Structure formats: structure tokens, C-alpha cells
Amino acid sequence: MATCAENPASGSEVEIKAAHDDDHKTSETSNEGKDANEDSMIQNDVEMKEECIPFKIDETSEDKKHMKEEPVIHEKIKPPDAEFAWWTLAITKEEIESAEKLYLQNKNIEMKDSFLMEFTTSPAFQRDTSRYGDYRFTFPLTELMELYKEQNCGGKEPVLRVFKTMFYLQEIVYAVLVHSPQDNKEFGDYPLLEESNFVHYKDGQIMWKAQAISGNHQVTLSVDTSEPRLNVKRLYSSTYYVWDNVCLAFHLPAQKALDFTTDRLIEALAACKLHKKNLLGQEDFSYDAKTVVDCLKTTLEDAENADA
């Protein structure tokens, strides 16, 4: 999933994500040792899917709030008054299709019609909207990891660990800690990511075994054993779902930051619509944001053509 960051499907993007608003939070648990909360019970009136859908993601992303004036593109990404930069997975349509194919193979079922897009309705799969802001930076996960490796790890491979599981009213977040090998002593009590039941990292991809991929929706899935095939059925009323997702927390202590060129940041920049349940408590300024982004990209393109 690119870096908006991110089950097994196949992709690799990530996006930067602001910390969750505490008003929405129900509980938070540290993943020191085996995380018992990964299998914790959810409230009885909330329905969760029991089977995992495997996604592979190669991109991540970070969302920024709206600014009334043209945003200043800083060359450093550094969380204000915090030592972690949070990125979410950016899951593409191709990665959803890949996850569907893998799921059907595991079930030994053949289907001509696609079904998974009907169920990937949670905010984790909505690339055009954001709960955090109307500007978004999206990078390939491999690029972000390489940048972190060179700038913060002295050229050594970053260490990935199970950080914590955060519970909100309708959201469960599996946080992955990314840190320098120099900080192994500080974070040694957190288990390595290989011990996680739901998230793994390999060859520049996040593998996420998603358990709950839907928001409120009006479809259900059943297995026809006589075929065998899967049937998607429309419901008369919507069902309330808890949904889960994965975030990457890059450790950036003291004066450390992620340094980008201005041109690369503009290339990675996009405007997105504010989700109706956004954490900013403001209206959607995506039209203004798109105008600003288009202007920046046009200026960059003109400069590149002039240099050609």
C-alpha cells in the first residue's frame, strides 16, 4: 500500500495520519509481550467479521488539515510536540482485487463476479476522503522506509515492532512501531512484528490480515455449498460494524525528521474530501484544496519543462 500507508492484498502505499482525537477513544493497550487484546471481545451490539481477509499494501499516506492560505511546503516531516510520525495504509483497488483472489483461492471457490468491493466500505479503504484534513501526502512504503533508514538509522535496516492496539467507538487500530536499531534498548520490551497475528512486513509490503473491513452497510455474504460459490445479499437495514486498520508510527526523537525535497513533496501531494465524521469539526474545503494543489503541480511541471 503507498504511504498513506496499507492485509494480504498486494500494494504498498502509506499516508501520514494525525493522532486520534481522545474524545473518540475507548481504550488503549500496550503490546508488550503477547497482546491479549488483539482477540478481545467487542461490545455485544457490535458485529465483527470472524474470517480474515489478507491484504498486501505498498503505499502509505499522511493527511494535513486545511489552511486558509496556500500551504507552505516544508522539506521536513516532523510531528509537532511528539516523537512519532503516524502514517496510514493507502489501499488501492488493485490490492483489494488481489485480496479477493487470494481469499477465493484459500476457500477453493471460483467466482466470475467481484464481491469484495461491496464490503470494503470502512474509512480505511476510502482514498478520496479523510477524517484528518483535506491535504494528503502519499508515498511508496519502500521509499519511506529507505528514507528513514538513511536519515535516522545510519544506513541500517529499521526495526519493526508491535506497538499497541487502540480501541475507539467504531475503530480498532493496530499500531506498528518503526525505530532505529540504536533504540533497541528503549523499545526492547515490545515484541518484534513477526510475532503479530495480524500484521507482517516483507519485501517492502505490509501484509495485513483484516478482520473487519466494513463500515455501516446493507450487504451480507453467504456460502452456497452446492456450487460452491459466495452469494452477496442486500439487507433491508444497515448493519453497524466495528472496523480495523493499521498505522505505522515512525520514531523521530529530538531533532530528527524525515527530509524530502520540495519537488518530491509536491509530487506526492493531493487534495481529499473531508469525511462527514472528521476530527477537525469543520466544513469541507476540498474544492479550495484542489485548486491549491493543482496550482502547485502546474508550477512544478512548468519549471521541469523550462529545464528540459
Side-chain angles (χ1 to χ4, degrees), residues 252-302:
L252 294 171
Q255 301 301 315
K256 290 189 176 182
L258 292 174
D259 293 335
F260 296 87
T261 65
T262 301
D263 289 355
R264 182 65 188 100
L265 286 176
I266 294 176
E267 290 173 356
L269 180 64
C272 50
K273 296 180 180 179
L274 269 181
H275 193 278
K276 59 182 180 180
K277 294 183 179 180
N278 68 80
L279 301 184
L280 301 179
Q282 68 179 38
E283 59 184 301
D284 186 7
F285 290 98
S286 57
Y287 178 80
D288 295 337
K290 186 177 186 307
T291 301
V292 170
V293 171
D294 289 345
C295 181
L296 288 170
K297 289 184 178 292
T298 298
T299 301
L300 177 61
E301 184 177 342
D302 290 343

Side-chain angles (χ1 to χ4, degrees), residues 1-6 13-16 59-63 87-91 127 136-139 246:
M1 309 167 205
T3 313
C4 273
E6 2 225 74
E13 301 183 350
V14 285
E15 65 187 1
I16 302 177
E59 288 188 317
T60 60
S61 64
E62 178 186 48
D63 299 348
W87 296 72
T88 59
L89 302 181
I91 307 171
R127 295 193 60 169
R136 171 174 294 165
F137 295 93
T138 302
F139 294 91
V246 176

Side-chain angles (χ1 to χ4, degrees), residues 32-290:
E32 298 184 13
K34 177 168 172 42
D35 181 13
N37 291 286
E38 286 187 337
D39 297 317
S40 296
M41 289 188 60
I42 309 300
Q43 299 171 358
N44 292 333
D45 59 345
V46 173
E47 181 176 350
M48 282 194 68
K49 297 194 173 181
E50 296 181 356
E51 295 189 80
C52 293
I53 302 292
F55 291 85
K56 297 177 183 176
I57 307 151
D58 349 83
E59 288 188 317
T60 60
S61 64
E62 178 186 48
D63 299 348
K64 295 294 188 183
K65 67 180 181 180
H66 174 80
M67 290 161 281
K68 293 183 179 180
E69 299 178 357
E70 182 173 312
V72 178
I73 304 296
H74 298 284
E75 295 184 354
K76 294 181 181 291
I77 289 182
K78 170 69 179 178
D81 303 321
E83 60 178 342
F84 297 102
W86 291 83
W87 296 72
T88 59
L89 302 181
I91 307 171
T92 66
K93 179 181 178 182
E94 291 73 22
E95 289 166 350
I96 295 174
E97 292 172 347
S98 176
E100 177 181 299
K101 183 179 179 180
L102 182 57
Y103 178 81
L104 292 174
Q105 287 176 349
N106 292 338
K107 292 291 183 181
N108 197 25
I109 294 176
E110 293 186 6
M111 280 189 67
K112 294 183 179 179
D113 298 329
S114 177
F115 74 92
L116 194 54
M117 291 293 291
E118 296 271 9
F119 293 89
T120 50
T121 58
S122 78
F125 297 89
Q126 298 173 11
R127 295 193 60 169
D128 295 333
T129 62
S130 170
R131 295 173 298 152
Y132 302 96
D134 39 18
Y135 293 101
R136 171 174 294 165
F137 295 93
T138 302
F139 294 91
L141 182 54
T142 51
E143 179 181 350
L144 192 64
M145 294 294 283
E146 185 65 26
L147 197 70
Y148 186 81
K149 171 184 173 180
E150 296 302 325
Q151 296 181 4
N152 295 278
C153 302
K156 297 181 179 179
E157 292 297 328
V159 180
L160 280 72
R161 297 182 183 272
V162 178
F163 193 15
K164 53 187 173 182
T165 304
M166 296 174 283
F167 294 83
Y168 301 90
L169 295 180
Q170 197 180 354
E171 178 186 10
I172 299 174
V173 181
Y174 300 114
V176 175
L177 170 64
V178 184
H179 70 82
S180 167
Q182 297 176 348
D183 298 318
N184 273 326
K185 185 176 181 180
E186 178 179 355
F187 297 112
D189 288 338
Y190 293 88
L192 294 172
L193 192 60
E194 288 85 346
E195 300 179 35
S196 171
N197 293 324
F198 304 117
V199 187
H200 296 282
Y201 176 76
K202 183 179 180 181
D203 299 331
Q205 289 184 325
I206 287 289
M207 277 71 75
W208 168 35
K209 294 181 180 178
Q211 299 180 96
I213 59 177
S214 302
N216 295 353
H217 69 116
Q218 292 182 277
V219 289
T220 186
L221 191 66
S222 61
V223 179
D224 184 350
T225 55
S226 62
E227 297 278 341
R229 61 172 286 112
L230 298 177
N231 295 320
V232 177
K233 182 181 178 181
R234 296 283 171 182
L235 303 175
Y236 292 106
S237 59
S238 60
T239 303
Y240 180 84
Y241 277 92
V242 166
W243 55 278
D244 61 355
N245 67 340
V246 176
C247 288
L248 305 182
F250 284 80
H251 184 230
L252 294 171
Q255 301 301 315
K256 290 189 176 182
L258 292 174
D259 293 335
F260 296 87
T261 65
T262 301
D263 289 355
R264 182 65 188 100
L265 286 176
I266 294 176
E267 290 173 356
L269 180 64
C272 50
K273 296 180 180 179
L274 269 181
H275 193 278
K276 59 182 180 180
K277 294 183 179 180
N278 68 80
L279 301 184
L280 301 179
Q282 68 179 38
E283 59 184 301
D284 186 7
F285 290 98
S286 57
Y287 178 80
D288 295 337
K290 186 177 186 307

